[in-house]
Coordinates of all heavy atoms in Angstrom, one line a residue:
K214 N 4.6 -3.9 11.0 CA 5.7 -4.9 10.8 C 6.4 -4.6 9.5 O 7.7 -4.8 9.5 CB 5.1 -6.3 10.8 CG 6.2 -7.4 10.7 CD 5.6 -8.8 11.0 CE 6.7 -9.8 11.1 NZ 6.3 -11.1 11.5
L215 N 5.7 -4.2 8.5 CA 6.4 -3.8 7.3 C 7.3 -2.6 7.4 O 8.3 -2.5 6.8 CB 5.3 -3.5 6.2 CG 4.6 -4.7 5.6 CD1 3.3 -4.3 4.9 CD2 5.5 -5.6 4.7
L216 N 6.9 -1.7 8.3 CA 7.7 -0.5 8.6 C 9.0 -0.9 9.2 O 10.0 -0.3 8.9 CB 6.9 0.5 9.4 CG 7.4 1.9 9.6 CD1 7.4 2.6 8.2 CD2 6.6 2.7 10.6
K217 N 8.9 -1.9 10.1 CA 10.1 -2.4 10.8 C 11.0 -3.3 10.0 O 12.1 -3.6 10.3 CB 9.8 -3.0 12.1 CG 9.2 -2.0 13.1 CD 8.8 -2.7 14.4 CE 8.3 -1.7 15.4 NZ 7.9 -2.4 16.7
N218 N 10.4 -3.9 8.9 CA 11.0 -4.9 8.1 C 10.9 -4.6 6.6 O 10.2 -5.3 5.8 CB 10.5 -6.3 8.3 CG 10.6 -6.8 9.8 OD1 11.7 -7.3 10.2 ND2 9.6 -6.5 10.6
P219 N 11.6 -3.5 6.2 CA 11.4 -3.0 4.8 C 12.0 -4.0 3.7 O 11.7 -3.8 2.5 CB 12.2 -1.7 4.8 CG 13.2 -1.8 5.9 CD 12.5 -2.6 6.9
E220 N 12.7 -5.0 4.2 CA 13.2 -6.0 3.2 C 12.2 -6.7 2.4 O 12.4 -7.2 1.3 CB 14.2 -7.0 3.9 CG 13.5 -7.9 4.9 CD 13.5 -7.3 6.3 OE1 13.8 -6.1 6.5 OE2 13.1 -8.1 7.2
Y221 N 10.9 -6.8 3.0 CA 9.8 -7.4 2.3 C 9.6 -6.6 1.0 O 9.2 -7.2 0.0 CB 8.6 -7.4 3.1 CG 8.5 -8.4 4.2 CD1 8.6 -8.1 5.5 CD2 8.4 -9.8 3.9 CE1 8.6 -9.0 6.5 CE2 8.4 -10.7 4.9 CZ 8.5 -10.4 6.2 OH 8.5 -11.3 7.2
F222 N 9.7 -5.3 1.0 CA 9.5 -4.5 -0.2 C 10.6 -4.8 -1.3 O 10.3 -4.6 -2.5 CB 9.5 -3.0 0.1 CG 8.2 -2.6 0.9 CD1 8.4 -1.7 1.9 CD2 7.0 -3.2 0.6 CE1 7.2 -1.3 2.6 CE2 5.9 -2.8 1.3 CZ 6.0 -1.8 2.3
R223 N 11.7 -5.2 -0.9 CA 12.8 -5.5 -1.8 C 12.7 -6.8 -2.5 O 13.1 -7.1 -3.6 CB 14.2 -5.3 -1.1 CG 14.4 -4.0 -0.5 CD 15.9 -3.9 0.0 NE 16.1 -2.7 0.8 CZ 16.1 -2.7 2.1 NH1 16.0 -3.9 2.7 NH2 16.3 -1.7 2.8
T224 N 12.2 -7.8 -1.7 CA 12.2 -9.2 -2.2 C 10.8 -9.7 -2.7 O 10.8 -10.6 -3.5 CB 12.6 -10.1 -1.0 OG1 11.7 -10.0 0.1 CG2 14.0 -9.8 -0.6
E225 N 9.7 -9.0 -2.3 CA 8.4 -9.5 -2.7 C 7.7 -8.5 -3.7 O 7.7 -7.3 -3.4 CB 7.5 -9.7 -1.5 CG 8.1 -10.7 -0.5 CD 8.2 -12.1 -1.0 OE1 7.5 -12.4 -2.0 OE2 9.0 -12.8 -0.4
K226 N 7.2 -9.0 -4.8 CA 6.5 -8.1 -5.8 C 5.0 -8.3 -5.8 O 4.3 -7.4 -6.3 CB 7.1 -8.4 -7.2 CG 8.6 -8.3 -7.2 CD 9.0 -6.8 -6.9 CE 10.6 -6.7 -7.0 NZ 11.0 -5.3 -6.5
N227 N 4.5 -9.4 -5.3 CA 3.1 -9.7 -5.4 C 2.4 -9.3 -4.1 O 2.0 -10.2 -3.3 CB 2.8 -11.2 -5.7 CG 1.4 -11.5 -6.1 OD1 0.7 -10.6 -6.6 ND2 1.0 -12.7 -5.8
L228 N 2.2 -8.0 -3.9 CA 1.6 -7.5 -2.6 C 0.1 -7.2 -2.9 O -0.3 -6.5 -3.8 CB 2.3 -6.3 -2.2 CG 3.8 -6.3 -2.1 CD1 4.4 -5.0 -1.7 CD2 4.2 -7.4 -1.1
K229 N -0.8 -7.8 -2.0 CA -2.2 -7.6 -2.2 C -2.8 -7.0 -0.9 O -2.3 -7.1 0.2 CB -2.9 -9.0 -2.4 CG -2.4 -9.7 -3.6 CD -2.9 -9.1 -4.9 CE -2.5 -10.0 -6.1 NZ -2.9 -9.4 -7.3
Y230 N -3.9 -6.2 -1.1 CA -4.6 -5.6 0.0 C -6.1 -6.0 -0.1 O -6.6 -6.4 -1.2 CB -4.4 -4.1 0.1 CG -5.2 -3.3 -0.9 CD1 -6.5 -2.8 -0.7 CD2 -4.6 -3.0 -2.2 CE1 -7.2 -2.1 -1.6 CE2 -5.3 -2.3 -3.1 CZ -6.6 -1.8 -2.8 OH -7.3 -1.1 -3.8
E231 N -6.8 -5.8 1.0 CA -8.3 -6.0 1.0 C -9.0 -4.8 1.6 O -8.4 -4.0 2.3 CB -8.6 -7.2 1.9 CG -8.4 -8.6 1.3 CD -9.0 -9.7 2.1 OE1 -8.8 -9.7 3.3 OE2 -9.8 -10.5 1.6
N232 N -10.2 -4.6 1.2 CA -11.0 -3.5 1.7 C -11.7 -3.9 3.0 O -12.2 -5.0 3.2 CB -12.1 -3.2 0.7 CG -11.6 -2.4 -0.5 OD1 -10.4 -2.1 -0.6 ND2 -12.5 -2.1 -1.5
L233 N -11.7 -2.9 3.9 CA -12.5 -3.1 5.1 C -13.9 -2.6 4.8 O -14.9 -3.1 5.4 CB -12.0 -2.3 6.3 CG -10.6 -2.7 6.8 CD1 -10.1 -1.8 7.9 CD2 -10.7 -4.1 7.4
K234 N -14.0 -1.6 3.9 CA -15.3 -1.0 3.5 C -15.2 -0.6 2.0 O -14.2 0.0 1.6 CB -15.6 0.3 4.3 CG -16.9 1.0 3.9 CD -17.2 2.2 4.8 CE -16.3 3.4 4.4 NZ -16.8 4.1 3.2
D235 N -16.2 -1.1 1.2 CA -16.2 -0.7 -0.2 C -16.6 0.7 -0.4 O -17.3 1.3 0.4 CB -17.0 -1.7 -1.0 CG -16.4 -3.1 -1.0 OD1 -15.2 -3.2 -0.9 OD2 -17.2 -4.1 -1.1
G236 N -16.3 1.2 -1.6 CA -16.7 2.6 -1.9 C -15.9 3.1 -3.1 O -15.2 2.3 -3.8
K237 N -16.0 4.4 -3.4 CA -15.2 5.0 -4.5 C -13.7 4.8 -4.1 O -13.4 4.8 -3.0 CB -15.6 6.4 -4.6 CG -17.0 6.7 -5.2 CD -17.3 8.1 -5.3 CE -16.4 8.9 -6.3 NZ -16.8 10.3 -6.4
I238 N -12.9 4.9 -5.2 CA -11.5 4.8 -5.0 C -10.9 6.2 -4.9 O -11.0 7.0 -5.8 CB -10.8 4.0 -6.1 CG1 -11.4 2.6 -6.2 CG2 -9.3 4.0 -6.0 CD1 -10.9 1.8 -7.4
P239 N -10.3 6.5 -3.7 CA -9.7 7.8 -3.6 C -8.4 8.0 -4.2 O -7.7 7.0 -4.5 CB -9.6 8.0 -2.0 CG -9.3 6.6 -1.6 CD -10.1 5.7 -2.5
P240 N -7.9 9.2 -4.5 CA -6.6 9.4 -5.1 C -5.4 9.0 -4.1 O -4.4 8.7 -4.6 CB -6.6 10.9 -5.5 CG -7.5 11.5 -4.5 CD -8.6 10.5 -4.3
V241 N -5.7 9.1 -2.8 CA -4.7 8.7 -1.8 C -5.4 7.9 -0.8 O -6.7 8.0 -0.6 CB -4.0 9.9 -1.2 CG1 -3.2 10.7 -2.2 CG2 -5.0 10.8 -0.4
S242 N -4.7 7.1 -0.1 CA -5.2 6.3 1.0 C -4.1 6.0 2.0 O -3.0 6.7 1.9 CB -5.8 5.0 0.5 OG -6.5 4.3 1.5
S243 N -4.3 5.1 3.0 CA -3.2 4.8 3.9 C -3.3 3.4 4.3 O -4.3 2.7 4.2 CB -3.4 5.7 5.2 OG -4.5 5.3 5.9
L244 N -2.1 2.9 4.7 CA -2.0 1.5 5.2 C -1.7 1.7 6.7 O -0.6 2.0 7.1 CB -0.8 0.8 4.5 CG -0.7 -0.7 4.6 CD1 -2.0 -1.3 3.9 CD2 0.5 -1.2 3.9
G245 N -2.8 1.6 7.5 CA -2.7 1.9 8.9 C -2.3 3.3 9.0 O -2.8 4.2 8.3
S246 N -1.5 3.6 10.0 CA -1.0 5.0 10.2 C 0.5 5.0 9.9 O 1.2 5.9 10.4 CB -1.2 5.4 11.6 OG -0.6 4.6 12.6
S247 N 1.0 4.1 9.1 CA 2.4 3.9 8.8 C 2.8 4.4 7.4 O 3.8 5.0 7.2 CB 2.8 2.5 9.0 OG 2.6 2.0 10.3
F248 N 1.9 4.1 6.4 CA 2.2 4.4 5.0 C 1.1 5.2 4.3 O -0.1 4.9 4.6 CB 2.4 3.1 4.2 CG 3.6 2.3 4.7 CD1 3.4 1.2 5.5 CD2 4.9 2.6 4.3 CE1 4.5 0.4 5.9 CE2 6.0 1.8 4.7 CZ 5.8 0.7 5.5
I249 N 1.5 6.1 3.5 CA 0.6 6.8 2.6 C 0.6 6.2 1.2 O 1.7 5.8 0.7 CB 0.9 8.3 2.5 CG1 0.6 9.0 3.9 CG2 0.2 9.0 1.4 CD1 1.0 10.4 4.0
L250 N -0.6 6.0 0.6 CA -0.7 5.4 -0.7 C -1.2 6.4 -1.7 O -2.0 7.2 -1.4 CB -1.7 4.2 -0.6 CG -1.6 3.2 0.6 CD1 -2.7 2.2 0.5 CD2 -0.2 2.6 0.6
F251 N -0.7 6.3 -2.9 CA -1.2 7.1 -4.0 C -1.8 6.2 -5.1 O -1.3 5.1 -5.3 CB -0.1 7.9 -4.7 CG 0.4 9.0 -3.8 CD1 1.4 8.8 -2.9 CD2 -0.1 10.3 -3.9 CE1 1.9 9.9 -2.1 CE2 0.3 11.4 -3.1 CZ 1.3 11.1 -2.2
S252 N -2.9 6.6 -5.7 CA -3.5 5.8 -6.8 C -2.5 5.8 -7.9 O -1.8 6.8 -8.3 CB -4.7 6.5 -7.3 OG -5.1 5.9 -8.5
A253 N -2.3 4.6 -8.5 CA -1.4 4.4 -9.6 C -1.9 5.1 -10.9 O -1.2 5.2 -11.9 CB -1.2 2.9 -9.9
L254 N -3.2 5.5 -10.9 CA -3.7 6.2 -12.0 C -3.4 7.7 -12.1 O -3.7 8.3 -13.1 CB -5.3 6.0 -12.0 CG -5.8 4.6 -12.1 CD1 -7.3 4.6 -11.9 CD2 -5.4 3.9 -13.4
I255 N -2.8 8.2 -11.1 CA -2.4 9.6 -11.1 C -1.3 9.8 -12.1 O -0.3 9.2 -12.1 CB -1.9 10.1 -9.7 CG1 -3.1 10.0 -8.7 CG2 -1.5 11.6 -9.8 CD1 -2.6 10.3 -7.3
E256 N -1.6 10.7 -13.0 CA -0.6 11.0 -14.1 C 0.7 11.6 -13.5 O 0.7 12.4 -12.6 CB -1.2 12.0 -15.1 CG -0.4 12.2 -16.4 CD -1.1 13.1 -17.4 OE1 -2.2 13.5 -17.1 OE2 -0.5 13.3 -18.4
N257 N 1.8 11.1 -14.0 CA 3.2 11.5 -13.6 C 3.5 11.2 -12.2 O 4.4 11.9 -11.6 CB 3.4 13.0 -13.9 CG 3.3 13.3 -15.4 OD1 3.8 12.6 -16.2 ND2 2.7 14.4 -15.7

């Protein structure tokens, strides 16, 4: 739904996620099969 309605990213700043499974934090992850995520701790 977010992929089809990108205006949410323009208007909302307080976006939260939950874990399905706990574990170590990887440098990259994904939100379903729509978005790729990068750790905010990666330098530059």
Side-chain angles (χ1 to χ4, degrees):
K214 187 165 186 177
L215 287 165
L216 194 63
K217 293 179 179 178
N218 299 276
E220 64 272 11
Y221 284 110
F222 290 142
R223 300 189 194 99
T224 59
E225 305 294 340
K226 302 300 180 186
N227 189 29
L228 308 178
K229 301 288 186 181
Y230 75 90
E231 281 191 309
N232 286 356
L233 294 175
K234 178 177 79 77
D235 291 332
K237 291 177 63 178
I238 297 171
V241 298
S242 189
S243 67
L244 198 62
S246 60
S247 301
F248 296 99
I249 290 176
L250 316 177
F251 289 88
S252 169
L254 298 176
I255 298 174
E256 190 176 357
N257 297 321

